[in-house]
Amino acid sequence: MIARAVFYARVSTADQVEGTSLETQRKICEMAIKAQGMSLTDQYVDAGASGADQSRPEWRRLLEDAKSGKFDAVFVLDIDRFTRSQIHGLQAMEDLRQLGVALYDAKNPTVDVASIDANLLTSIRLIMAQEERNKTRERTVRGQRERLAVGGWPGGQPCYGWRLEGVHTRQAHPVPDLEERANLRLIQRLIVEDRLSLLHVSERLNALGIPSRTNKRWSAAV
C-alpha cells in the first residue's frame, strides 16, 4: 500500500525571503514525496502566519486531519516552517507520533523528525528556530524605531481612512483615503444619528455593496 503524504508550507510577513517562499516550499516537498514513493493527497498552506501562532488555520486543520487518519506522513521544507515554538512543536510532534504519523524534513526525508530516535536533535532544532524568531522580532522592532526616529513609516497598514503612498520605498507615508473616509462618515451617521447597532450597521454596509478593506463582508468585529 502506498503511503499517503501531505505537505505543510508557511511564510510570515517578516520572512518572505529566497528559500522560504510558498512556491519553493511546495516544489521541494512535492519532489521529496515523489522520491520517497509516496502519494500526495493534500496540502496545508498558511500565508502571512507566525510560526509561533497555535491558531494558524491550516496548521490546526492538519493536526485535526491527522487525528482522523487522513494521511501517514507530513513533509515540510524545514522544521521552522512547521513551528517556531519549542513547547508547541514538541507537543504537536508527540501527538503525531502517538497517531503513527511521520514528519519529514523535505531536504533530508530519510529521518522522521517526530520519532523517539530523533527527539534530542529535533528539540535542539526547535530551540534554534525559536531563538531565530526572537532575533527576527528584535531586528524588526529596532528597524521600526529607527524609521520612526527620522520621520519614516514604521511598517504595516495604516488605520481605516488612510492609505500608504510610496509603498516599498523609504518615503512611504500615510495619506487620507477619501473613499474610506466617506464610508467612515456613513458609519458614524448610522451609529450616532440613526442609533443602529454594529450588527445592523454591518448589514446596511453589506446591502449597499460597500467593501471592507479586506473585501470580506462587514461584521460587528470588522
Side-chain angles (χ1 to χ4, degrees), residues 160-161 177-188 210:
Y160 196 82
D177 187 307
L178 299 182
E179 183 177 346
E180 289 188 351
R181 291 192 170 206
N183 295 337
L184 282 174
R185 285 192 290 271
L186 171 61
I187 292 171
Q188 179 188 37
I210 297 175

Side-chain angles (χ1 to χ4, degrees), residues 1-36:
M1 181 177 177
I2 299 177
R4 301 161 300 166
V6 300
F7 72 81
Y8 175 78
R10 178 193 64 80
V11 66
S12 73
T13 54
D15 65 6
Q16 296 188 42
V17 296
E18 185 178 357
T20 60
S21 72
L22 295 176
E23 182 61 19
T24 297
Q25 293 177 58
R26 181 187 66 79
K27 288 181 178 179
I28 294 177
C29 286
E30 287 182 347
M31 289 173 59
I33 290 171
K34 184 177 180 180
Q36 294 302 309

Side-chain angles (χ1 to χ4, degrees), residues 146-159:
E146 289 174 354
R147 287 193 292 273
L148 276 173
V150 295
W153 181 251
Q157 286 292 328
C159 63

Side-chain angles (χ1 to χ4, degrees), residues 9-204:
R10 178 193 64 80
V11 66
S12 73
T13 54
D15 65 6
Q16 296 188 42
V17 296
E18 185 178 357
T20 60
S21 72
L22 295 176
E23 182 61 19
T24 297
Q25 293 177 58
R26 181 187 66 79
K27 288 181 178 179
I28 294 177
C29 286
E30 287 182 347
M31 289 173 59
I33 290 171
K34 184 177 180 180
Q36 294 302 309
M38 298 184 186
S39 172
L40 176 62
T41 61
D42 204 349
Q43 60 184 23
Y44 303 80
V45 179
D46 278 313
S50 167
D53 184 3
Q54 284 195 92
S55 64
R56 284 171 279 156
E58 287 293 272
W59 194 66
R60 298 304 310 174
R61 184 170 76 88
L62 182 147
L63 296 179
E64 289 301 315
D65 285 354
K67 295 176 183 177
S68 301
K70 293 186 176 181
F71 48 80
D72 308 300
V74 179
F75 283 72
V76 292
L77 177 68
D78 197 295
I79 195 70
D80 67 355
R81 296 301 93 197
F82 187 67
T83 181
R84 281 198 168 186
S85 166
Q86 182 189 13
I87 295 176
H88 299 162
L90 289 175
Q91 182 58 61
M93 291 181 194
E94 171 66 19
D95 292 343
L96 292 178
R97 184 163 58 244
Q98 293 296 327
L99 293 167
V101 176
L103 177 63
Y104 294 106
D105 180 333
K107 294 179 179 178
N108 179 28
T110 58
V111 178
D112 175 5
V113 297
S115 67
I116 289 292
D117 293 339
N119 190 60
L120 177 59
L121 180 58
T122 299
S123 297
I124 294 173
R125 292 176 66 185
L126 285 172
I127 292 174
M128 294 174 64
Q130 181 169 301
E131 181 62 21
E132 180 59 30
R133 171 181 172 269
N134 292 337
K135 290 181 178 179
T136 298
R137 184 168 54 186
E138 290 175 3
R139 288 194 295 267
T140 299
V141 172
R142 185 166 59 249
Q144 290 174 332
R145 288 175 175 170
E146 289 174 354
R147 287 193 292 273
L148 276 173
V150 295
W153 181 251
Q157 286 292 328
C159 63
Y160 196 82
W162 297 85
R163 61 179 174 82
L164 275 184
E165 196 166 88
V167 180
H168 303 311
T169 72
R170 293 189 177 184
Q171 288 74 43
H173 60 282
V175 296
D177 187 307
L178 299 182
E179 183 177 346
E180 289 188 351
R181 291 192 170 206
N183 295 337
L184 282 174
R185 285 192 290 271
L186 171 61
I187 292 171
Q188 179 188 37
R189 180 175 62 79
L190 294 174
I191 295 175
V192 178
E193 297 179 15
D194 297 351
R195 297 186 179 277
L196 296 183
S197 68
L198 293 181
L199 175 61
H200 289 139
V201 169
S202 300
E203 292 175 345
R204 182 73 62 84

